[in-house]
Amino acid sequence: MSQPQVLQVFEQYQKARTQFVQTVADLASRPNNTETLQNAGVMSFLRPLLLDAVPTIQQTAALALGRLANYNEDLAEAVVKGDILPQLVHSMAEQNRFYKKAAAFVLRAVAKHSPELAQAVVDCGALDALVVSLEEFDPGVKEDAAWAIGYIARHNAQLSQAVVDAGVVPLLVLCIQEPEIALKRVAASALSDIAKHSPELAQTVVDTGAIAHLAQMSLNPDAKLKRQVFLALSQIAKHSVDVAEMVVEAEIFPAALVCLKDPDEFVRKNVATLIQEITKHTPELSQIIVNMGGVAAVIDYLGDAKGNVRLPGIMMLGYVAAHSEIVAMAVIESKGVPQLSICLEEEQDDHLKAATAWAFGQIGRHTPEHAQAVAVANVFPKLLKLYLDTESSEDLQVKAKTALESILQKCTYLPALEPLLYEAPSNILEHVICQFSKVLPHDSKARRLFVTSGGLKKVQEIKAEPGSAIQEYINAINSCYPEEIVRYYSPGYSETLLDLLD
């Protein structure tokens, strides 16, 4: 065979390999083909092509593997069991930027499915290779490396600690300072995935100066970047008072409040989450947000939102109100109670209703004025209905009951209490009767209204155990009236009169 013929054979072989790997990569991009490819044993064909002499074949083989692993956990496990990862990681140090990007894609596709698969990626030495990629000049290589790191870190604190120990965090902070928006997004997301697990990991992110750089990007016009920035700040701020104060000191407020009106739903939700995570810590942090107009802004946000994006806003109002009667009154004065009442009516999910019930409890539990503000919004019947509804989740029933009891113990607004005399079960009724027994002895007008409205008659119909707390409250109410009136409204009084006639 002549030399041209030999060269022609090699050329045909290379074309065949190229065509094969490109076809597989193309087929792997469509989910309906993945099972067929797996059954055909495609992994074993792709693995040797990772070491092919032709760089484009190596890169396309890695791309095909990444697409397969990305599809489901079984295929990702097949990549791990096929000993493909060590080979891939080893080659990253020697290959060009296109291969590094494709290899990082495979690592990300495997790691995303479970902590066990992410651990397999770590065990094959991938973190060291990804750290080197983060130091590359090419922003695309950095982006794919940061993306893979985020997918490893997001699972649990142990994996995040492994990422931190590899020296990743300072490099990610450098990445968020790069001009490329896509790289900023992915690096901010990775920092968020690291910080979310524990105060110690969040502190590691803080110690590299990340807060100041994230804060600078909070007003960037790119919506996807703002999503990641506010999410990262909230994952940092949630852990302790100290880091929450550092976020506030970065001067993102009050400018960030404007983002509660952002066209992007996830930007709005993540800003609301950040405010929630800050206000939950101390009365002082809550007061700072209140003073900047944060309560009014969040109430407006709830009016514009629907569904699960309302949750951080509802929780924020509850956290603020929980700290003190002063900030709770700020929620009331900003028309927070009517807006929460709308949320309670409109939302269908039990966890949203439970959060709203909890927030009402935090607002109304301070003083009679706070309780009246909740009562006049006709919240009591709604909370009672949720508590008694057998379709309500256990958490919703508990939170509705707790909120109702805590507000009732402060409520002296009798028009809102009286309907509960006819509807409430005995455990709630006890609190209602208690409040009447406190108010009626000191209010002659209320005593008269209590008779004419039928309230006194209803109290006489209550069957209470002698010596019980509720019986003591009934006795206290009865002592406010002449004995003849009490007898007149007692059950069986008309029969007693008829007996006298006989």
Side-chain angles (χ1 to χ4, degrees):
M1 186 179 288
S2 65
Q3 185 177 355
Q5 288 175 316
V6 171
L7 290 173
Q8 188 177 6
V9 170
F10 277 106
E11 187 178 330
Q12 288 172 345
Y13 178 49
Q14 181 176 323
K15 282 182 179 178
R17 298 197 316 279
T18 303
Q19 185 178 2
F20 169 76
V21 78
Q22 285 177 343
T23 303
V24 171
D26 184 48
L27 289 171
S29 67
R30 294 188 287 276
N32 56 314
N33 295 323
T34 49
E35 190 174 338
T36 305
L37 288 169
Q38 185 181 13
N39 293 337
V42 74
M43 297 287 185
S44 59
F45 291 109
L46 290 172
R47 184 185 174 193
L49 295 178
L50 292 171
L51 298 174
D52 199 278
V54 180
T56 55
I57 293 175
Q58 294 177 3
Q59 294 152 26
T60 312
L63 178 64
L65 284 167
R67 285 175 175 172
L68 289 167
N70 194 52
Y71 177 65
N72 67 29
E73 193 169 337
D74 291 340
L75 287 164
E77 285 178 359
V79 171
V80 172
K81 288 175 182 174
D83 281 335
I84 290 168
L85 295 183
Q87 188 175 311
L88 202 69
V89 169
H90 177 73
S91 300
M92 283 178 75
E94 304 163 359
Q95 299 296 335
N96 63 22
R97 61 194 177 98
F98 299 107
Y99 184 88
K100 288 175 180 174
K101 282 167 63 69
F105 171 51
V106 178
L107 296 173
R108 178 180 97 221
V110 172
K112 81 172 192 177
H113 292 289
S114 70
E116 293 74 23
L117 286 169
Q119 188 63 54
V121 171
V122 172
D123 292 343
C124 74
L127 286 176
D128 290 336
L130 291 170
V131 166
V132 172
S133 292
L134 281 178
E135 295 172 322
E136 284 276 333
F137 176 76
D138 184 85
V141 174
K142 290 180 183 177
E143 182 187 337
D144 282 306
W147 209 346
I149 286 164
Y151 271 69
I152 293 169
R154 67 175 48 181
H155 291 292
N156 57 43
Q158 182 183 347
L159 287 164
S160 281
Q161 191 61 56
V163 166
V164 168
D165 293 343
V168 160
V169 175
L171 296 172
L172 289 174
V173 173
L174 288 174
C175 286
I176 63 175
Q177 300 172 64
E178 295 282 353
E180 291 79 15
I181 294 293
L183 178 55
K184 286 177 183 285
R185 287 179 198 152
V186 175
S189 176
L191 288 170
S192 174
D193 287 327
I194 293 167
K196 71 183 182 181
H197 296 291
S198 72
E200 294 75 22
L201 287 165
Q203 192 62 53
T204 303
V205 174
V206 170
D207 290 343
T208 57
I211 289 176
H213 297 296
L214 289 167
Q216 288 173 2
M217 296 188 293
S218 63
L219 296 179
N220 190 291
D222 184 78
K224 290 181 180 177
L225 176 57
K226 283 192 288 188
R227 288 181 193 176
Q228 301 303 334
V229 166
F230 287 120
L231 182 60
L233 288 171
S234 64
Q235 297 287 18
I236 292 168
K238 74 180 183 181
H239 289 293
S240 72
V241 175
D242 291 340
V243 290
E245 287 175 348
M246 291 178 73
V247 171
V248 173
E249 287 164 6
E251 298 183 349
I252 60 169
F253 297 107
L257 297 177
V258 176
C259 294
L260 287 170
K261 295 282 189 184
D262 196 275
D264 187 276
E265 178 180 87
F266 295 101
V267 171
R268 298 196 301 272
K269 183 185 178 184
N270 290 352
V271 174
T273 303
L274 172 59
I275 298 169
Q276 169 205 319
E277 299 294 2
I278 290 170
T279 54
K280 77 179 184 182
H281 289 294
T282 64
E284 292 75 21
L285 283 168
S286 277
Q287 193 63 59
I288 289 170
I289 300 298
V290 170
N291 293 345
M292 290 177 180
V295 168
V298 167
I299 291 167
D300 287 345
Y301 161 80
L302 288 176
D304 296 334
K306 291 285 184 293
N308 213 40
V309 293
R310 275 177 161 167
L311 183 60
I314 293 167
M315 296 295 290
M316 179 269 185
L317 295 180
Y319 282 132
V320 168
H323 287 303
S324 75
E325 61 184 71
I326 295 171
V327 284
M329 189 54 72
V331 173
I332 291 168
E333 290 170 352
S334 299
K335 305 290 187 277
V337 172
Q339 184 55 64
L340 285 171
S341 184
I342 291 169
C343 294
L344 199 61
E345 284 183 4
E346 290 183 349
E347 296 304 332
Q348 301 301 313
D349 291 341
D350 278 8
H351 72 282
L352 289 171
K353 292 178 181 177
T356 310
W358 170 80
F360 276 129
Q362 302 311 310
I363 295 166
R365 67 183 176 85
H366 294 285
T367 70
E369 289 75 22
H370 292 78
Q372 182 170 333
V374 176
V376 296
N378 200 34
V379 170
F380 290 163
K382 295 172 186 174
L383 291 176
L384 184 63
K385 183 180 178 184
L386 292 173
Y387 167 49
L388 297 176
D389 189 349
T390 55
E391 297 296 315
S392 295
S393 67
E394 184 180 348
D395 181 54
L396 175 54
Q397 288 178 327
V398 169
K399 285 194 167 58
K401 174 177 175 285
T402 305
L404 196 53
E405 290 177 338
S406 62
I407 303 167
L408 286 174
Q409 287 167 19
K410 293 292 182 181
C411 186
T412 57
Y413 183 64
L414 301 187
L417 293 176
E418 196 160 325
L420 298 179
L421 289 172
Y422 301 89
E423 300 167 7
S426 58
N427 58 332
I428 301 296
L429 190 59
E430 181 177 323
H431 298 289
V432 177
I433 298 293
C434 176
Q435 294 310 105
F436 276 107
S437 73
K438 291 176 184 176
V439 176
L440 292 176
H442 311 289
D443 190 334
S444 59
K445 185 180 177 183
R447 288 198 296 273
R448 177 179 284 274
L449 283 172
F450 194 57
V451 173
T452 57
S453 66
L456 183 62
K457 182 176 184 292
K458 180 61 183 173
V459 167
Q460 306 315 309
E461 294 169 359
I462 295 170
K463 293 179 174 61
E465 291 289 328
S468 64
I470 194 167
Q471 185 61 59
E472 294 298 321
Y473 301 143
I474 292 171
N475 292 343
I477 292 169
N478 289 345
S479 67
C480 299
Y481 296 94
E483 189 177 338
E484 294 82 2
I485 292 181
V486 175
R487 243 194 342 260
Y488 179 78
Y489 286 106
S490 296
Y493 180 68
S494 59
E495 286 81 0
T496 305
L497 288 178
L498 289 170
D499 289 343
L500 288 175
L501 285 173
D502 293 338

